[in-house]
Structure formats: C-alpha cells, structure tokens
Amino acid sequence: MSFHDDTDPHANDAAPYAGGDPYADYRTGDFPFTELVDLADRRLGAGVVAANDEFFAERENLLVRERAVFDPEHFGHKGKIMDGWETRRRRGAGAGHPFPAPEDHDWAIVRLGAPGVVRGIVVDTAHFRGNYPQRVSIQAAAVEGSPSPAELQGATWEELLPPTPVRGHAANGFAIDSERRWTHVRVRQHPDGGIARLRVHGEVVPDPEWLAVLGTLDLVSVLNGGVYEDASDRFYSSPTQIILPGTSRKMDDGWENRRRRVRGTHDWVRFRLAAQGAVRAVEIDTAYLKGNSAGWIALQGCNGDPSGSAEWFEIIPRTRLQPDTPHRFVLAARAVVTHVRLDAFPDGGIARMRLHGGLTEDGAAELRARYARLTG
C-alpha cells in the first residue's frame, strides 16, 4: 500500500463528506489474503474483550460483519455517533505541550474466534475522514483458555505490524509474515482516532488435544481447521460460509453462485480438511435458499494432493436436494480423505455442509506436528 506523503500528517485525509453516496470516494485495494477466513469473525466466537477508551463509539463495532454505515445527522450527547470504534482526542502534558507524546496511543484487544496463523489484516477507516488515527500498529499474543482483560494486559505481545500510516475513509490492508499460532490481537491507534472495522485473515490451527477429546467432529468446519481452497463461482458470497459454525440465518449466509447458462457444466467448491480424516456421515443444508438452492449435489473425495497423483472418488452420488431443508447422509463405508469437492447441478446455493467423522492416526500425527511447530 502506498501513501502520498508521510511527512504531511494530513496527506492521507479524505475529503469532507459532501453529500450523496458516502462510499463514492472510499478508497480500497486488492488484498489477496482476504480470500482466507476472518479469524476475528463474531460467528466463530471472536470478541473485543477490552479497550482503554471508547468515548465516542463502542469497541464492539470493530467486528460487525456488515460494512460501516454513515448518517450525517446522527448525533448524541457526546457528539457525532460513528459506526466504528472511536476514542476522544488526546492532549499533552500542559499548555506548553498541548500535543500528545509520541508514544501515546489507544488500544483494543480482540479475542480471535479461531486461533491460527495471521496472514493479513484490514484496518478499515470508512467514514473516518479527518478523525482516523495517524498510524496503527498490531500486536499478537498466544494465551490459552479464557483469560481476563487484566491477564491479557500482562501477556507477552509480539509485533505483527509496526506503527504504520493509514488513510482516512479507506480499507488499509497489510500482509503479515508470522509463522505462529495466535489467540488474540491488539490493535493500537497512534495517537487516537477512529477505526470502523477490523478483519484478521489467516489459517485456523486447532488444538489437536481438544479434537482428540471430541472424537467425532465436523472435519471440514472452519473451527476445526477446514479450509476453502477453490470454487467455480463466488459471485454472491464466499464458499467459506458453507463451513462456518452454526446454522444459516439468512439467504446470503451461505454460498450462492450466479445463474449458469452453459449446458453440460456445473458449479463446484473444493475444501481441504485440517488433516486426513475418516468421514462417516454428511449434512447438506439449504436453509433460506428457497428458489435458488442447488437442484442436485454430489460429493467427491481424494486422499492426497488433488493437483498431483491423488484420484477423486465418489462419496455421495448425484442426489436431489429440497429447498430450505437440512439433508442427512449416512455413508455405507467411511471415506478416508484429505480434500472434498462439493458439486452443485447445475448451479444454486448451499447454506452449510458438515462432514462428521474423526481424524485418522496419520491425520492426528500431522496435526500435532503442525501445532507444535506453530506454538513452540
């Protein structure tokens, strides 16, 4: 990401809101890491556990899924109400030193819904035009269990992003290079200001001991380390939503593709399990997809690298689906796989998919080795 002039503290300001569409002059960029799951997604259990200041706008707004909204007439008794996290203006030590000290900053601690390796972060300052932070920095910590805010304050924090300039009214994306498993991040704004949304994209790394205790689990769930790898179409929504926890709550809380017009073709999405597993039962849910669910599905699996010599085999043959309905399939024999491909004929939406089973001995060993490498 480039900036106009880092020597000018106002170089990254956006123009004042002039009416009309507030997103008309919003600035963004191409951040490939956003294809990865958002580890700070509330649907995974994430939360903003503490902040030193939220005078103008609450810290919880950072993790709202929808993009920030702006109402120019929305004021409260503290001033302008913004859809984000906004702190008061910091002041210096006295009349002779009115500006805050260089080290002054505000902070908020976010519990990741799914601990994992962070690959990229988006700090979104939508609608914060002249009141965004001059710089932001990101730290991360690995604290198991359910630590209190006080315990997190005393944790060991590692810097993922040093203090870096950001633009106002913009999506500011940062690739992260850190091969560690993190449970929490701390976003710091220097010296103060407002951030609309925070997204922490990466790869889930589950605790293998927890999975071993569970025994039977959803082998493709995001929370257990399942990953969406590729799809024929992602026009309306990300296929990652198929493997989110919980049930779909509305039509766009799933995977829906555009209408397919080429006969003899179909849509598909491929997932990688956290490690090799043995699937014993499958659930396919078309909740809230009433006139646009997939007509038929089929499920294929492979054990090994799908781009190499591993061959695909049938797990569920082409089967008719009903709209807005959960479907359950008990397999006649367990399917040992590392990847699955869900085919939709000819097109249409799927809300959720569950692959119930357990890790194989090889899969459990692979997962333990990765966990040790990323936590050691």
Side-chain angles (χ1 to χ4, degrees), residues 8 74 82 317 373:
D8 178 1
H74 196 190
M82 297 292 290
R373 176 173 58 85

Side-chain angles (χ1 to χ4, degrees), residues 281-285 316 319 321 325-331 356:
V282 177
E283 288 186 77
I284 303 291
D285 191 359
I316 298 175
T319 303
L321 294 186
T325 301
H327 305 75
R328 293 178 174 177
F329 306 92
V330 177
L331 305 186
H356 299 291

Side-chain angles (χ1 to χ4, degrees), residues 38-42 46-54 57-69 82-87 106-111 121-126 128 133 136-138 185-189 193-201:
D38 179 7
L39 303 176
D41 191 330
R42 287 282 303 180
V48 188
V49 299
N52 72 307
D53 187 300
E54 47 188 329
E58 296 80 6
R59 64 183 191 259
E60 287 84 2
N61 291 330
L62 284 171
L63 305 188
V64 171
R65 293 311 309 163
E66 294 76 20
R67 70 177 188 172
V69 298
M82 297 292 290
D83 185 7
W85 168 51
E86 185 181 7
T87 64
D106 291 317
W107 55 265
I109 296 176
V110 175
R111 177 188 66 247
I121 293 174
V122 176
V123 177
D124 190 343
T125 58
F128 290 96
V136 299
S137 61
I138 305 289
V185 297
R186 181 164 63 189
V187 56
R188 305 196 298 177
Q189 41 183 351
I195 297 171
R197 299 288 188 265
L198 180 72
R199 306 292 185 238
V200 184
H201 296 278

Side-chain angles (χ1 to χ4, degrees), residues 219-261:
L219 291 164
V220 78
S221 169
V222 163
L223 286 176
N224 296 331
V227 178
Y228 143 66
E229 286 193 327
D230 198 6
S232 60
D233 188 292
R234 55 187 71 84
F235 188 83
Y236 287 112
S237 54
S238 170
T240 293
Q241 298 194 135
I242 298 178
I243 57 174
L244 288 178
T247 56
S248 174
R249 293 177 293 178
K250 53 182 180 173
M251 191 179 75
D252 65 349
D253 186 9
W255 172 54
E256 185 188 359
N257 43 59
R258 77 191 81 190
R259 300 189 186 209
R260 185 165 285 270
R261 304 304 191 190

Side-chain angles (χ1 to χ4, degrees), residues 111-246:
R111 177 188 66 247
L112 299 180
V117 178
V118 178
R119 299 299 186 193
I121 293 174
V122 176
V123 177
D124 190 343
T125 58
H127 315 304
F128 290 96
R129 297 169 175 271
N131 54 344
Y132 62 96
Q134 187 175 9
R135 289 175 173 81
V136 299
S137 61
I138 305 289
Q139 300 173 317
V143 185
E144 298 301 326
S146 305
S148 68
E151 290 170 329
L152 289 169
Q153 282 289 80
T156 299
W157 293 87
E158 180 175 309
E159 189 173 73
L160 298 185
L161 179 72
T164 302
V166 292
R167 297 175 295 175
H169 193 45
N172 299 273
F174 306 97
I176 302 297
D177 183 15
S178 173
E179 292 295 325
R180 289 289 306 278
R181 177 186 186 268
W182 304 112
T183 62
H184 296 76
V185 297
R186 181 164 63 189
V187 56
R188 305 196 298 177
Q189 41 183 351
H190 308 263
D192 53 35
I195 297 171
R197 299 288 188 265
L198 180 72
R199 306 292 185 238
V200 184
H201 296 278
E203 301 164 5
V204 176
V205 180
D207 181 347
E209 296 304 320
W210 175 249
L211 297 189
V213 169
L214 293 179
T216 297
L217 57 122
D218 180 0
L219 291 164
V220 78
S221 169
V222 163
L223 286 176
N224 296 331
V227 178
Y228 143 66
E229 286 193 327
D230 198 6
S232 60
D233 188 292
R234 55 187 71 84
F235 188 83
Y236 287 112
S237 54
S238 170
T240 293
Q241 298 194 135
I242 298 178
I243 57 174
L244 288 178

